[in-house]
């Protein structure tokens, strides 16, 4: 029997065959989009197109081509039915309530069909809720001038996904996105939670029809903590436990009011909830800023923190934009990155039983739906499955452990390279997210293959194979050979040539085959149910990153010197957007890392820790992403060497250092005679996978570093124009 996705694909194929010559005129296309409150970026995301392409369709410069043409026509037809000309101001009727999608949480109503947030919270937006007051001057006038776009917002969450709670002169205020300020009558934490559930109209509509709506978030400032009887800081013991003790008066107030806390308790990120009311979930998330809920290494400038002194309205704008472009924060950026995967690929859905007419839980084919047996070579050293396998301090070898990690490689400079004056470092944008794009990963449990199985690049998993025979000097790229001694091996993080059989993820072995070498696996652990699980996750983060960079003046149409200049001044254009850029990159990197979260010492060695209970604890998927990132980088190194006889001196995660006679990357990266980047090499640009200038130092500076530290070491992450930038992305 064909799957649902296969049937949908067949229907889409038929639609693409239908001539779509009756698209509305360009001006009507723009009117329909604006009437629905949609941005060009949102339509581009839905159609997997560029925002600029949608703009060209609306001006008549270009026309959409199949298969996007059929999808665009369907969208316009639906909008025309809802917003006939002349445009009507009547809001769309909300969708009927559907049963919960069996996510293991309380069921919720589905969002309205046109529940799309504005493309960006504007400072002049002051939509006023029905049951709350606003102290913002001119609020009544603003309500009368409410735009069609704001009217299209889901009425359940018309005040945005979150609010910053602050107290000034005894008055508690809730600063929402768009400059809206609400008076908060609550005099205790339980009352604050009930006010949020009943009147605040905060939250965010689900990102997938089978997912669930995001709970409202209240960000508590230092003045709010004092007002509600919470300590300004956690004690050392409380910090270690990440929560207040159950004996604290506020925790007792919460229990006395009939509210509940999750097992995490009342800590920097806390969930306070009441039992579900029918299909309605009743939960509020607290983000307690003075307790380091927003870690400066992820959400702020680690060397010069801005959040502790940021005005509540600016903080609401910052976190509101993050929620709109990524999702409502769920904790750290790493936690949010992992939750984003589940939000975009929910494990379950509601399916109607034709016999009884009742809804039951069904699993989605394209999601991670269960915990499976683990493979010894794929798990970290402290995993319970390794108990009794090795001595306590045994260092597992590549033949015992899958060691797919980013590059940490360097080599001495040759005499010829020392004749150059500079070392130029370029950095790959969103490298881990880019490596996840289009990657096929396993969705089910492992199948053990023995007896020298034949390698199959379509099966994700781990392969025990000897790649020590791969000699890069024998590889020809575009008819040219390269100097293999000046390039790292693509098969080890340290760049050393393998010495015997070792475990590798599928992308690594596939790259050896791509280079023209024979591979003979000894055994393997593969997954037979596969899918591009991370594609939608990547696209969401890509669009968030590109849109944020565009807000700082770094757009996709910039080339060469224009791009370098825009990157250099971007953080002065809008400091809040600079923080948002950091948070988005940390979300991408941390989300991949969470797939193989290690024990933090919560339990004794070799005992199960909480992360192991998640369906999304999948070290094999993390290994596949990191392997794809490393071999993708190596592929460009090879093509750069073949095109320009240019070799790196060190690589740190996604930072590559090249010797150069001049300080600009424009003088390093190879170009064709027409002035375009050489095919397959590194290319300057803002999109994920392209590179930016990380910094420049002199060769003399590098030699001094080597002398001071007693030998050659990796200097790639020391060459930075922005010293506050983290290692990798």
């Amino acid at each position: 029997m064909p799957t649902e996705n296969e049937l949908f694909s067949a229907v889409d194929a038929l639609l693409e065959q239908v001539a779509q010559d009756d698209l509305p005129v360009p001006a009507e296309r723009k009117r329909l989009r604006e009437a629905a409150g949609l941005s060009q970026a949102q339509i581009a995301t839905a159609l997997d197109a560029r925002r600029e392409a949608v703009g060209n369709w609306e001006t008549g410069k270009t026309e959409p081509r199949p298969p996007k043409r059929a999808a665009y026509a369907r969208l316009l037809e639906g909008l025309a039915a809802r917003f006939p000309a002349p445009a009507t101001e009547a809001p769309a009727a909300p969708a009927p309530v559907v049963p919960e999608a069996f996510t293991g949480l309380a069921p919720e109503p589905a969002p309205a069909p046109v529940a799309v947030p504005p493309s960006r919270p504007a400072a002049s937006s002051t939509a006023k809720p029905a049951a709350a007051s606003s102290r913002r001057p001119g609020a009544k006038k603003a309500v009368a001038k409410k735009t069609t776009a704001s009217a299209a917002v889901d009425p359940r969450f018309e005040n945005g996904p979150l609010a910053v709670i602050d107290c000034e002169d005894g008055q508690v205020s809730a600063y929402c996105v768009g400059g809206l300020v609400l008076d908060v009558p609550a005099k205790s934490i339980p009352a604050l939670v009930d006010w949020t559930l009943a009147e605040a109209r905060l939250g965010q509509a689900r990102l997938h029809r089978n997912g669930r709506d995001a709970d409202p978030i209240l960000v508590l400032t230092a003045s709010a903590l004092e007002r509600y009887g919470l300590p300004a800081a956690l004690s050392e013991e409380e910090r270690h436990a990440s929560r207040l003790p159950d004996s604290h008066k506020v925790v007792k107030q919460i229990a006395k009011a009939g509210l509940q806390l999750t097992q995490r308790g009342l800590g920097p990120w806390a969930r306070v909830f009441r039992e579900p009311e029918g299909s309605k979930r009743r939960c509020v998330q607290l983000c307690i800023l003075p307790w380091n809920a927003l870690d400066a290494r992820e959400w702020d400038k680690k060397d010069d923190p801005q959040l502790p002194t940021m005005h509540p309205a600016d903080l609401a704008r910052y976190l509101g934009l993050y929620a709109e472009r990524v999702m409502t924060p769920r904790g750290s950026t790493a936690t949010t990155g992992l939750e984003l995967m589940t939000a975009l690929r929910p494990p379950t859905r509601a399916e109607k039983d034709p016999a009884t007419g009742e809804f039951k839980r069904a699993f989605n084919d394209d999601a991670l739906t269960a915990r499976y047996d683990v493979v010894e070579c794929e798990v970290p050293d402290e995993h319970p499955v390794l108990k009794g396998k090795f001595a306590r301090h045994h260092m597992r070898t590549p033949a015992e452990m899958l060691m797919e990690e980013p590059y940490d490689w360097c080599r001495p400079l040759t005499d010829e390279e020392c004749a150059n004056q500079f070392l130029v470092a370029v950095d790959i944008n969103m490298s881990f997210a880019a490596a996840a794009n289009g990657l096929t990963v396993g969705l089910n449990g492992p199948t053990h293959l023995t007896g020298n199985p034949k390698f199959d690049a379509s099966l994700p998993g781990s392969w025990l194979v000897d790649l020590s025979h791969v000699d890069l000097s024998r590889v020809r790229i575009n008819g040219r050979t390269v100097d293999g001694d000046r390039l790292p091996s693509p098969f080890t993080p340290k760049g050393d040539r393998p010495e015997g059989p070792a475990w590798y993820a599928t992308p690594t072995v596939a790259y050896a085959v791509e280079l023209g070498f024979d591979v003979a696996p000894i055994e393997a652990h593969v997954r037979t149910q596969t899918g591009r699980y991370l594609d939608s996750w990547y696209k969401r983060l890509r669009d968030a990153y590109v849109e944020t960079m565009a807000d700082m003046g770094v757009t996709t149409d910039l080339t060469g010197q224009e791009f370098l200049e825009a990157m250099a001044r971007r953080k002065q254009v809008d400091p809040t957007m600079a923080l948002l850029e950091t948070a988005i990159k940390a979300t991408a990197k941390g989300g991949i890392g969470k797939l193989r979260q290690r024990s933090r010492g919560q339990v004794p060695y070799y005992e199960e820790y909480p992360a192991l209970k998640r369906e999304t604890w999948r070290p094999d998927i993390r290994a596949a992403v990191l392997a794809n990132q490393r071999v993708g980088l190596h592929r460009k190194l090879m093509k750069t060497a073949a095109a320009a006889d240019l070799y790196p001196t060190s690589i740190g995660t996604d930072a590559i250092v090249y010797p150069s006679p001049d300080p600009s990357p424009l003088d390093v990266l190879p170009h064709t005679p027409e002035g375009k980047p050489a095919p397959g090499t590194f290319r300057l640009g803002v999109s994920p996978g392209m590179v930016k200038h990380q910094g420049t130092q002199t060769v003399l500076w590098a030699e001094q570093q080597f002398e001071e530290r007693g030998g050659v070491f990796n200097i790639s992450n020391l060459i930075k124009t922005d010293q506050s930038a983290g290692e990798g992305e």
Side-chain angles (χ1 to χ4, degrees), residues 709-726:
R709 308 202 184 199
V712 177
F713 73 103
N714 197 338
I715 60 173
S716 56
N717 286 304
L718 296 179
I719 304 177
K720 294 179 181 178
T721 301
D722 179 9
Q723 294 299 324
S724 66

Side-chain angles (χ1 to χ4, degrees), residues 465-480:
V465 59
D466 188 351
L467 298 179
S468 60
H469 62 287
V470 176
D471 183 2
L472 298 181
S473 297
R474 294 165 47 198
V475 179
R476 295 182 64 83
I477 303 293
N478 298 330
R480 299 181 59 180

Side-chain angles (χ1 to χ4, degrees), residues 141-175:
K141 291 184 178 180
V143 171
K145 297 179 180 180
K146 183 183 288 187
T147 64
T148 305
S150 63
V153 174
D154 191 321
R156 297 174 299 156
F157 313 127
E158 64 177 329
N159 292 330
L162 52 87
V164 179
I165 307 299
D166 190 63
C167 182
E168 184 177 357
D169 298 330
Q171 173 60 51
V172 181
S173 303
Y175 291 83

